[in-house]
Amino acid sequence: MKKSNIAAQLYTLRDFTQTAEALQSTFQKVSAIGYQAVQVSGIGPIDPQLVKDYADEAGLAICATHVSWDRLKNDLENLAAEHKLWNCKYIGLGALPEEYRTSLDGYRTFAKEISAIALTLQEKYDLQFVYHNHNFEYERFDGITGMDVLLNETDPSVGIELDLYWIQAGGAHPIDWIRQVTGRMQVVHLKDMAIIDRTQVFAEIGEGNMNYPEIINVCRETGVEWYVVEQDVCRRNPFESLEISLRYLGGLL
């Protein structure tokens, strides 16, 4: 991990990215904090050229995205063109569509559909699809978790973008899963888990109970390229939360 490989997930700042003017200001603030890259997710309907211009202006690379399932199914050519414009290789899906979540058959259907899309992205556009998990993928159906299906029954062109908080929340072991996806995870989502009043809460990295020194070591060993800081809910100003996480990660370089 190098500082240039640590990115801020814009979903954390979604309340500050809904207009072009707000996005431009947010990019400047993210750069001033010390980030050199972002993942584009949760922003408003902003012209892709402006997104690129404002990122370039702030000196930020766009390392990955989260896009809608509808666009992956129905707008792949335009999606690919946007990612080429942004010099961004990794196209992500932030969550499994709800209609696939209730059974093994649902997960298996999705695995087939996303494999076809990922292969097209790879072979036609030289882009990489990555799937981002939550905790519901760790529900068991006849002893098999949905995440097992997504790992074992998808084409290898389907990348896995593990969210380590949600693995912990799903009752699984983040480090075990990092090792399981060796070779298929170029982008990882980092956030910490704290306990307040006997309740799990999102925390800045280093402010919770997850073993981040060891997590980062295993990510290095398995070839992770981008370390993306995300916090779904912040208990302080989100920019301050991103700064705290970056400062902690800087101590692990």
Side-chain angles (χ1 to χ4, degrees):
M1 180 179 66
K2 299 182 292 186
K3 189 172 182 181
S4 59
N5 295 96
I6 303 172
Q9 204 335 9
L10 291 184
Y11 183 76
T12 309
L13 303 171
R14 57 196 178 275
D15 292 338
F16 307 92
T17 62
Q18 296 308 300
T19 67
E21 294 79 7
L23 181 69
Q24 183 179 29
S25 175
T26 291
F27 277 166
Q28 293 293 330
K29 291 177 182 178
V30 168
S31 178
I33 288 169
Y35 286 92
Q36 298 176 40
V38 292
Q39 179 171 10
V40 172
S41 173
I43 71 172
I46 301 168
D47 187 298
Q49 184 64 56
L50 282 179
V51 176
K52 174 179 169 52
D53 291 346
Y54 295 154
D56 288 349
E57 177 183 87
L60 296 169
I62 299 175
C63 70
T65 64
H66 279 171
V67 302
S68 71
W69 179 229
D70 179 69
R71 291 200 72 194
L72 282 166
K73 289 192 299 180
N74 301 312
D75 196 25
L76 206 58
E77 185 172 352
N78 286 326
L79 266 183
E82 289 172 16
H83 285 71
K84 293 292 188 179
L85 171 67
W86 295 342
N87 194 29
C88 175
K89 182 175 181 178
Y90 300 109
I91 300 182
L93 180 66
L96 187 74
E98 290 190 13
E99 62 265 28
Y100 298 99
R101 300 181 190 180
T102 58
S103 68
L104 276 182
D105 284 344
Y107 277 93
R108 286 174 170 147
T109 297
F110 175 79
K112 291 177 183 177
E113 293 178 3
I114 200 58
S115 292
I117 292 169
L119 275 168
T120 299
L121 285 170
Q122 184 181 81
E123 294 173 356
K124 186 173 181 179
Y125 301 107
D126 193 29
L127 297 172
Q128 171 76 58
F129 171 80
V130 295
Y131 176 82
H132 171 274
N133 66 281
H134 290 80
N135 59 349
F136 58 79
E137 292 92 342
Y138 290 90
E139 181 176 353
R140 290 186 176 272
F141 304 91
D142 298 325
I144 302 171
T145 70
M147 201 65 187
D148 292 328
V149 173
L150 296 178
L151 177 60
N152 298 320
E153 300 188 27
T154 53
D155 186 85
S157 61
V158 175
I160 308 294
E161 179 189 50
L162 291 182
D163 186 303
L164 304 182
Y165 173 100
W166 286 118
I167 294 174
Q168 187 87 21
H173 196 302
I175 288 173
D176 286 350
W177 269 89
I178 294 168
R179 291 196 170 110
Q180 283 192 67
V181 300
T182 298
R184 291 182 66 175
M185 183 165 73
Q186 293 77 34
V187 185
V188 66
H189 270 205
L190 311 179
K191 63 188 78 160
D192 214 335
M193 180 186 290
I195 301 297
I196 296 179
D197 294 331
R198 301 178 65 183
T199 301
Q200 295 176 0
V201 297
F202 299 101
E204 296 79 10
I205 301 164
E207 298 293 307
N209 299 317
M210 295 173 66
N211 184 359
Y212 263 96
E214 183 61 19
I215 284 169
I216 296 301
N217 282 337
V218 178
C219 285
R220 285 193 186 106
E221 291 169 7
T222 57
V224 170
E225 181 180 351
W226 290 103
Y227 298 78
V228 180
V229 176
E230 180 181 44
Q231 197 168 329
D232 301 36
V233 177
C234 299
R235 289 175 290 118
R236 47 169 59 91
N237 181 287
F239 292 97
E240 184 182 356
S241 290
L242 286 175
E243 185 172 8
I244 290 168
S245 292
L246 183 62
R247 188 184 310 128
Y248 178 84
L249 290 172
L252 301 180
L253 293 174

